[in-house]
Amino acid sequence: LLLENDLRQALDRNEMVLHYQPQVNIETGEIIGVEALVRWNHHKKGMIWPSKFIPIAEETGLILPIGTWVLEHACKQLKKWHENGYTQLKLSVNLSLRQLFQEDLVETVAKVLKETKIKPEQLELEITESMTGNTERVIAILQSLKKLGVRISVDDFGTGYSSLSYLYSFPIDQLKIDRSFIMNLFEEENKVIVSTIISMGQNLGLDLIAEGVETIEQIEFLRTYQCVGVQGYLISRPLPADELEQLLSKKRIYF
Ligand code: G
Ligand code: G
Ligand code: NA
Ligand code: MN
């Protein structure tokens, strides 16, 4: 409850911080995008991780103003990077279920795109498989978002226990293979799962990205099956904007 009260004031106190984790194309070694990940720099407790406050934010509805702040702040940062010469860089932003159902979500996204003049296709919104349950309504919202031109990515793919039929009916652009499969790629069954997800994604014309990549062996496996996008600690942890920019200036990441 104390944390909840503090969370109410966190935005006013300017305590929300965004870190950015790079996403790399393993064929070219280029950083193609960054995922914005929110942290709370509490005035007394220090850095609080999302696993601790996102659930509270969702329960209380505070995820709505926080989510809007994340979207605005991350897009402004992307704009700066574009102005600094990294014109091809893309941005991924996580959406929670409540945000997806927020009445003015589409308006908010449209407004941010207009204000920052980011090309819509350079903004990607991450939903999770668990959001694909409420079918009709979610499809309508995603279609409105797609009309703006933004990309939709399915985060934590493979863990949602949902029917795969939504892959046809939902306007999605990318599957993000859950890190639990990547972490355990040394197990034969996970090799089967990951290679099958990749080939299914390819057959459906979807982009693929693997998250939680920590070893060269994982990279080699993903290269063999042509999963071009990778994200994980092997490349970099999520970083503050200035540190991320230093990585951008290196141009290429070699594996
Ligand atoms: O790296 P990490 O501990 O940052 O993220 C933990 C969880 O918090 C992830 O499931 C991630 O999707 C979620 N998360 C991080 N940033 C945001 C955000 O800006 N909005 C929402 N809705 N979830 C976020
Ligand atoms: O649910 P979502 O995919 O948005 O969560 C991203 C989370 O994954 C963040 O907490 C981020 O810090 C974490 N993460 C990113 N890369 C790695 C990795 O290589 N290994 C592990 N264990 N976690 C990672
Ligand atoms: Na994510
Ligand atoms: Mn994920």
Side-chain angles (χ1 to χ4, degrees), residues 36-39 49-50 54 63 70 94-96 99 155:
L37 293 156
V38 71
R39 279 91 181 82
W49 255 241
I54 292 284
I63 192 68
V70 167
N94 290 283
L95 287 187
S96 72
Q99 285 175 275
D155 199 7

Side-chain angles (χ1 to χ4, degrees), residues 112-176:
V112 172
L113 288 173
K114 197 174 164 206
E115 281 171 2
T116 54
K117 300 191 190 74
I118 288 170
K119 289 185 201 139
E121 65 271 21
Q122 290 185 310
L123 175 62
E124 184 169 84
L125 301 174
E126 293 192 7
I127 61 165
T128 60
E129 261 184 296
S130 58
M131 299 180 190
T132 59
N134 201 329
T135 316
E136 295 302 319
R137 192 158 166 219
V138 175
I139 291 178
I141 295 164
L142 294 181
Q143 278 170 346
S144 307
L145 289 168
K146 284 305 301 173
K147 272 195 202 132
L148 298 177
V150 300
R151 284 165 53 85
I152 308 290
S153 179
V154 181
D155 199 7
D156 304 335
F157 183 78
T159 59
Y161 309 104
S162 65
S163 146
L164 288 174
S165 59
Y166 77 87
L167 291 174
Y168 280 112
S169 44
F170 280 51
I172 55 180
D173 301 286
Q174 176 173 275
L175 302 180
K176 200 165 180 187

Side-chain angles (χ1 to χ4, degrees), residues 19-24 29 31 33-35 37 39 81 176 179 209-215 218-219 230-248 250 252-255:
H19 284 183
Y20 300 88
Q21 188 175 37
Q23 302 172 332
V24 169
I31 296 178
V34 293
E35 179 179 1
L37 293 156
R39 279 91 181 82
W81 283 324
K176 200 165 180 187
R179 69 166 176 270
I209 182 162
E211 62 177 24
V213 173
E214 297 184 355
T215 70
Q218 293 162 349
I219 293 277
V230 292
Q231 178 178 349
Y233 293 166
L234 180 69
I235 299 139
S236 168
R237 292 177 171 269
L239 298 171
D242 53 337
E243 289 177 44
L244 194 275
E245 190 157 344
Q246 289 175 23
L247 266 192
L248 290 177
K250 282 191 186 161
R252 293 257 190 288
I253 311 248
Y254 294 102
F255 298 109

